[in-house]
Amino acid sequence: GCYGPTGPFIHCGAALGMISLFRPYPTASDYGLMLSAMLVQAELIKESREYFAFLLSGVMFGLSMVPTMVAVWLGRNAGNANYLYNMTLVVNVFGSLTLSQWVRAGMRLRKRQHQLSYFRRVILDIVDEVVADPKAA
């Protein structure tokens, strides 16, 4: 990639995500903060290309259905608390899967960066040895 993710920022984003996951009632502002911290690093989104869009759409669907279920349950008295519980469960499951996919992508990028720096160091050591003593090579 063009730039590497920094470790403390990934940890901060993961901590924000975990805090928003363990709220008793999901709100769009909690998940908005989590998703904005995730979307700042586009390199991680590109790396987690497999399921990220699907999981993000599941979070958005759940967050859009929570007010509807509250209105059906409390406003019209047509449902019960299980509707709201189900939508809270949907939001939390999709949110945790989204966060885990993002952290997994960060781990893959960090591993790749460490491997690239190791191989670069090995190659530069070999080149330095050859330049220092060309007759030995």
Side-chain angles (χ1 to χ4, degrees):
C2 58
Y3 64 92
T6 56
F9 188 76
I10 291 175
H11 295 142
C12 181
L16 281 173
M18 289 171 60
I19 288 170
S20 66
L21 284 177
F22 290 112
R23 298 278 185 183
Y25 296 106
T27 61
S29 63
D30 294 333
Y31 284 90
L33 181 62
M34 177 181 84
L35 292 175
S36 64
M38 284 182 182
L39 295 176
V40 164
Q41 292 199 354
E43 196 74 23
L44 292 178
I45 303 302
K46 289 177 189 174
E47 183 68 26
S48 64
R49 61 191 172 271
E50 298 165 359
Y51 300 111
F52 194 79
F54 170 71
L55 295 173
L56 193 61
S57 64
V59 170
M60 292 303 149
F61 170 74
L63 285 175
S64 64
M65 290 302 289
V66 166
T68 305
M69 294 302 150
V70 169
V72 167
W73 176 39
L74 295 176
R76 300 185 60 160
N77 202 15
N80 57 19
N82 291 332
Y83 294 163
L84 182 61
Y85 174 74
N86 186 25
M87 283 301 115
T88 304
L89 190 64
V90 165
V91 169
N92 284 335
V93 165
F94 276 105
S96 63
L97 290 175
T98 305
L99 183 65
S100 67
Q101 187 75 15
W102 186 76
V103 168
R104 188 176 300 133
M107 289 169 52
R108 278 195 305 258
L109 279 179
R110 295 289 295 238
K111 183 178 179 182
R112 190 178 308 145
Q113 281 179 342
H114 289 300
Q115 288 174 345
L116 287 175
S117 67
Y118 171 74
F119 291 130
R120 182 174 187 264
R121 189 170 53 241
V122 167
I123 290 172
L124 288 178
D125 288 343
I126 292 171
V127 169
D128 286 341
E129 289 177 11
V130 169
V131 169
D133 192 15
K135 294 190 185 230

